[in-house]
Amino acid sequence: AALAEDGFTATIQKVRIGSDLYGKIKAYERVLEGTALLKSDLNESRLQSYALIIEKDPERISLIQERMRDLDGFVDTFFSDAARNIPEEEVKAPVAEGRSAWSEYKLTTDNEVLPALQAKKYADAIKLQDGVQRQRYERFMVQIGSAVDLMKRRVTALEKEAHELVAESVRLLGLFTAGAILLLVALSVFIRMLIVHPINAMTSHLRDMASGRGDLGKRLEVASKDDVGQMAGYFNSFVA
């Protein structure tokens, strides 16, 4: 029973709120929630890049560039948070690859696409967007998709581990309960044999003596040296 109790306690510690297992699951869930927003930000950023190419109004161009900077900040924040929150190194690798692809995409936008637009070389800007930038964007989305799939598989595996631990804790609790019941039954039998039975025998003997049918030659069994045993011994001495 003691071993079952120790095992039950150790298992509960593994799945309780605040445990390492629970923390990993919640960390992956937070990153996955951020990934949904990331994809939306990336799609909008790409559309804004094309809008910037065809827009001729300086005021609108300024607004588009400001929005692109905001989106860049959101994406960079996601990658920083992901690098900090993802708990396992093998899952960080595809996310780091996605971040590298994003850095290349953003660097080309800042150093080649925007300067081409400022020089009014719209054909060059379109060529970049439809060529190398499109390839980088598609590669980036594939890498992020792979990272998402990997994180989902890890969440599934961790949740399965948690369910198995809970099932194990229930089993151990059952063993502990059964052990406690057996211990109580054994204790009850022990008390009955050591205390109740001798007292009942003494009571029966005294009742027979009081009714005039008692056998004064009969002696009580002294089975222990405790208070009950001493009382039986004194009774035997009294009737001797």
Side-chain angles (χ1 to χ4, degrees):
L3 290 175
E5 182 181 8
D6 292 342
F8 173 74
T9 302
T11 303
I12 288 299
Q13 290 295 323
K14 292 179 181 178
V15 297
R16 66 180 176 81
I17 294 177
S19 67
D20 182 61
L21 182 59
Y22 178 85
K24 286 182 179 180
I25 293 173
K26 298 307 293 182
Y28 279 127
E29 288 178 345
R30 285 193 297 269
V31 176
L32 286 171
E33 289 174 0
T35 304
L37 297 175
L38 172 69
K39 291 182 178 180
S40 175
D41 292 339
L42 291 170
N43 287 329
E44 183 181 352
S45 178
R46 188 160 182 260
L47 291 174
Q48 292 289 0
S49 297
Y50 278 103
L52 190 63
I53 293 174
I54 62 176
E55 184 61 58
K56 300 298 186 291
D57 183 0
E59 184 175 346
R60 287 288 303 161
I61 290 175
S62 177
L63 291 175
I64 292 172
Q65 289 177 329
E66 182 178 353
R67 179 57 181 166
M68 289 178 65
R69 285 192 293 270
D70 289 342
L71 293 170
D72 290 349
F74 296 153
V75 175
D76 289 338
T77 298
F78 165 81
F79 281 117
S80 296
D81 291 343
R84 183 173 60 255
N85 291 323
I86 292 177
E88 296 169 311
E89 291 299 324
E90 64 269 25
V91 184
K92 288 183 178 182
V95 176
E97 292 175 359
R99 186 174 195 172
S100 177
W102 164 251
S103 297
E104 292 175 3
Y105 181 89
K106 188 170 66 169
L107 192 64
T108 300
T109 298
D110 293 339
N111 294 344
E112 297 183 47
V113 177
L114 292 180
L117 291 175
Q118 291 171 355
K120 297 183 179 181
K121 296 180 180 180
Y122 302 113
D124 291 345
I126 293 174
K127 183 178 179 180
L128 285 168
Q129 282 297 110
D130 288 340
V132 65
Q133 287 294 76
R134 181 176 181 176
Q135 293 174 2
R136 286 172 178 166
Y137 178 83
E138 291 174 349
R139 178 165 59 90
F140 173 76
M141 294 303 290
V142 169
Q143 290 168 335
I144 292 300
S146 298
V148 168
D149 291 341
L150 181 56
M151 283 188 280
K152 287 181 178 179
R153 288 197 298 270
R154 286 301 300 143
V155 169
T156 299
L158 290 169
E159 288 177 342
K160 181 181 179 181
E161 182 181 350
H163 292 158
E164 290 174 349
L165 287 171
V166 169
E168 178 68 8
S169 69
V170 172
R171 187 185 71 83
L172 291 174
L173 180 60
L175 291 175
F176 171 72
T177 303
I181 292 174
L182 290 175
L183 181 62
L184 289 174
V185 170
L187 183 61
S188 174
V189 171
F190 176 76
I191 291 175
R192 183 174 180 82
M193 294 295 296
L194 193 64
I195 299 177
V196 177
H197 182 70
I199 291 178
N200 287 341
M202 190 180 302
T203 301
S204 177
H205 199 24
L206 288 172
R207 184 171 57 248
D208 290 343
M209 291 177 62
S211 66
R213 294 181 285 104
D215 182 2
L216 297 178
K218 185 177 181 180
R219 297 292 182 267
L220 295 176
E221 179 183 358
V222 181
S224 65
K225 295 182 180 181
D226 57 10
D227 292 344
V228 176
Q230 291 178 12
M231 186 167 58
Y234 292 148
F235 177 84
N236 291 337
S237 297
F238 174 73
V239 297

